[in-house]
Amino acid sequence: MSVLVASTVVVTLYLAATFLFGFLPHKSLHGWNAAIQSIPTYARSLFQFKAWQLALIGAAWLIFTGAVYSLIVSFISSRMKSQMGTAGVSLVLLSVNVGLAAMGDTVLQRIRPLVDFGLANVTLIKEVFGVHKPFDVFGVSISYPVMAFFVLTSIAALAIFGIYQGQRSRIAFSKGA
């Protein structure tokens, strides 16, 4: 729970600072009511959001993905004996995700799910909400945001279960020692 609270607070502070120091100096929120399709990155988006709605959804999405990544790091920590090892494995995980996202199209076609739901792409609002990318799941077309939410929620649940099991085995070990 402390990891979730800490990651949520850090990401929220980051987003608040970005807003305060990025937008407020201009003393104008002109354009916040415009459709996101007027922004070149979101021109092909099927979502009928206004810019301010996308900003709120983007902030919530970034907080959610930060919490999931924190749970993954906590799971790694629950399985390792050293903090340096945890930091190393976590950085390798992040680097592999960034590397997968940067690979060329030929390689990407073979490993598409790893790239689509890797931490490098799934945290980017423009990737999740910018284009229409449907997934066929048992004959049903599901949008990328819904699939990403499902995949990340599943990963978070598995991480929480793994952390719980790790803590339970540590408690059992300490009682037996």
Side-chain angles (χ1 to χ4, degrees):
M1 289 304 287
S2 63
V3 170
L4 289 176
V5 170
S7 71
T8 301
V9 167
V10 167
V11 174
T12 302
L13 288 173
Y14 167 78
L15 292 170
T18 300
F19 178 74
L20 286 174
F21 299 113
F23 295 110
L24 289 184
H26 302 291
K27 296 180 182 153
S28 172
L29 294 177
H30 181 72
W32 274 70
N33 212 27
I36 63 170
Q37 287 77 9
S38 64
I39 304 168
T41 302
Y42 300 96
R44 294 182 18 210
S45 177
L46 296 179
F47 296 100
Q48 301 301 315
F49 298 139
K50 302 289 186 192
W52 68 269
Q53 291 170 320
L54 181 65
L56 289 177
I57 290 168
W61 186 257
L62 193 57
I63 291 168
F64 173 66
T65 57
V68 171
Y69 183 70
S70 295
L71 286 170
I72 292 169
V73 172
S74 295
F75 171 72
I76 293 167
S77 177
S78 75
R79 298 295 178 208
M80 302 199 69
K81 298 195 186 300
S82 124
Q83 289 179 346
M84 290 302 289
T86 298
V89 170
S90 300
L91 288 173
V92 166
L93 176 67
L94 189 59
S95 298
V96 165
N97 274 284
V98 170
L100 286 172
M103 289 186 171
D105 286 339
T106 307
V107 176
L108 291 180
Q109 294 306 321
R110 294 186 181 120
I111 56 173
R112 184 49 105 209
L114 290 175
V115 175
D116 284 340
F117 301 109
L119 294 172
N121 278 345
V122 82
T123 57
L124 297 174
I125 305 310
K126 68 178 186 170
E127 290 292 323
V128 179
F129 297 101
V131 295
H132 179 65
K133 190 188 307 185
F135 290 87
D136 182 36
V137 180
F138 306 117
V140 177
S141 182
I142 300 176
S143 70
Y144 185 32
V146 172
M147 277 302 294
F149 181 78
F150 175 75
V151 168
L152 289 177
T153 302
S154 299
I155 290 171
L158 290 172
I160 289 169
F161 180 73
I163 293 165
Y164 171 76
Q165 291 295 346
Q167 291 301 103
R168 204 170 103 195
S169 66
R170 283 183 183 157
I171 291 170
F173 178 74
S174 67
K175 286 183 179 179

